[in-house]
Amino acid sequence: MSDHAERRPSEGPMRIALLGCTGSIGTQTLEVIEAQPERYSVVGLAARGGRIATLNEQIRRFSPLVVTIEDPTGRETVEFPSDRVLTGAEGLLALATLPEADLVVIATSGHAAIRPTLAALEAGKEIALANKETIVCAGELVTATARANGITIRPIDSEHSALWQALQGSPGHSAVRRLIITGSGGPFRTLGAEELARVSPQRALQHPTWPSMGGKITIDSATLMNKGLEVIEARWLFDLPFDQIDVIIHPQSTVHSLVEYVDGSVMAQLGPPDMRLPIAYALAYPERPALSFPRLDLTQSRDLTFEPPDDGRFPCLRLSYQAGRAGGLLPTVLSAADDEAVAAFLRGDLDFTGIARIIAATLDGYDGTSTVNLEAIEEADRWARDYARTMIVGGSR
Ligand code: MG
């Protein structure tokens, strides 16, 4: 445990820079902060995309020192002193390394988060991480940088938060037999292969248990790609081989993941499907302040059920293990091909089962370098997007 993690409220509120403040995780992070004003203050807000009205409202509520927006032409619309409004990739970097920040929450989506995450770690900031690409594409680089700087990356994703919590008190790696990541199985868990080929984007966007997720992550949850990416993240965050990471389908989303120890004991973390809980744990770690968000009432819960994932109907999970084990830039290729395939599905240009087909073909088509650095990640990402798009246009309906 690093010294940073042991800060106490008596030192004054922990000062937070939030990258991705207007998205789903960003706004829920601000709810957690607002519920504990004695513990946290907001020193920086970075908004991606054009949600300036939301940003302006957040500026009024949290009075940050610095604000960053994506598009320089939007500067005039930000209701904040213009000399403290930064823009673009430079702005994200400045916010991630803000001298006044103790902890940086990375809740932006896509590759844009990788550089700021590395910069924040190098600047000695505590990191709470919700961005998937950072660990999927640059896991080795990012976790090595965190280790070198004595920083524990605090995962915000519910499954990784559950694993992290279930690992507290573990005597070490040799005590862990396997990590078991749970997934709801998505809205099509019970559909047959033929029905799967015909599902509509509208139907796929209805997630059964987690409210208010974005379109991409909801489709990823329906294909099980979301679990596959989480397996790759777990490999790096907890430094265990793929052979020791399993996925189990748990439709009720109450058990958020489990750790099986070598003695046969299994530790699980349970809670209502509310992202504010893993966010609150990531911010407060290693403490557990009292919170008044909705609680789990096990006397009111339906049965908790578990079943193995079906690789045949949901091949994205198998493709993720394949890319993860191959390592190098293949996880980047996997993630980029998935982005393009999901976008095509949402546009109506690809059927649901085509998503896995496009990803598999893109992985097969890749024969690039295996040197992992930021430039190589960006290059592999571009290549995979072009390759996937060409195949989608070429007719994989
Ligand atoms: Mg998750």
Side-chain angles (χ1 to χ4, degrees), residues 132 157-160 210 217 226-227 230 275:
K132 281 207 151 67
D157 203 356
S158 59
E159 292 80 0
H160 301 102
W210 285 94
I217 190 169
N226 187 44
K227 284 307 121 186
E230 286 173 1
M275 285 307 297

Side-chain angles (χ1 to χ4, degrees), residues 292-372:
S292 52
F293 297 133
R295 283 167 185 279
L296 188 63
D297 180 356
L298 284 171
T299 66
Q300 298 296 309
S301 302
R302 291 160 299 156
D303 295 340
L304 300 182
T305 61
F306 301 88
E307 64 195 45
D310 183 345
D311 269 10
R313 284 180 306 137
F314 301 100
C316 285
L317 186 57
R318 180 171 41 77
L319 293 171
S320 300
Y321 273 98
Q322 181 193 318
R325 285 195 168 101
L329 293 162
L330 279 165
T332 298
V333 171
L334 174 92
S335 154
D338 176 56
D339 260 3
E340 292 299 324
V342 168
F345 170 70
L346 289 172
R347 288 194 308 268
D349 290 343
L350 186 69
D351 66 32
F352 184 77
T353 47
I355 297 173
R357 260 200 323 278
I358 293 291
I359 296 167
T362 310
L363 287 172
D364 282 347
Y366 187 71
D367 61 358
T369 166
S370 59
T371 311
V372 179

Side-chain angles (χ1 to χ4, degrees), residues 9 18 24 56 60 89 95 117 130 147 155-156 167 270 293-294 310 320 324 330 333 350 354 362 376 379 386:
L18 172 55
S24 165
N56 282 334
R60 287 192 291 278
L95 213 66
T117 303
R147 256 194 313 276
I156 282 183
L167 283 165
L270 286 71
F293 297 133
D310 183 345
S320 300
L330 279 165
V333 171
L350 186 69
T362 310
E379 173 60 30
D386 287 347

Side-chain angles (χ1 to χ4, degrees), residues 235-255:
R235 185 261 170 268
W236 292 111
L237 285 170
F238 305 110
D239 195 23
L240 283 164
F242 285 99
D243 294 344
Q244 283 175 262
I245 307 171
D246 285 337
V247 168
I248 194 163
I249 301 303
H250 167 50
Q252 297 84 14
S253 299
T254 299
V255 177

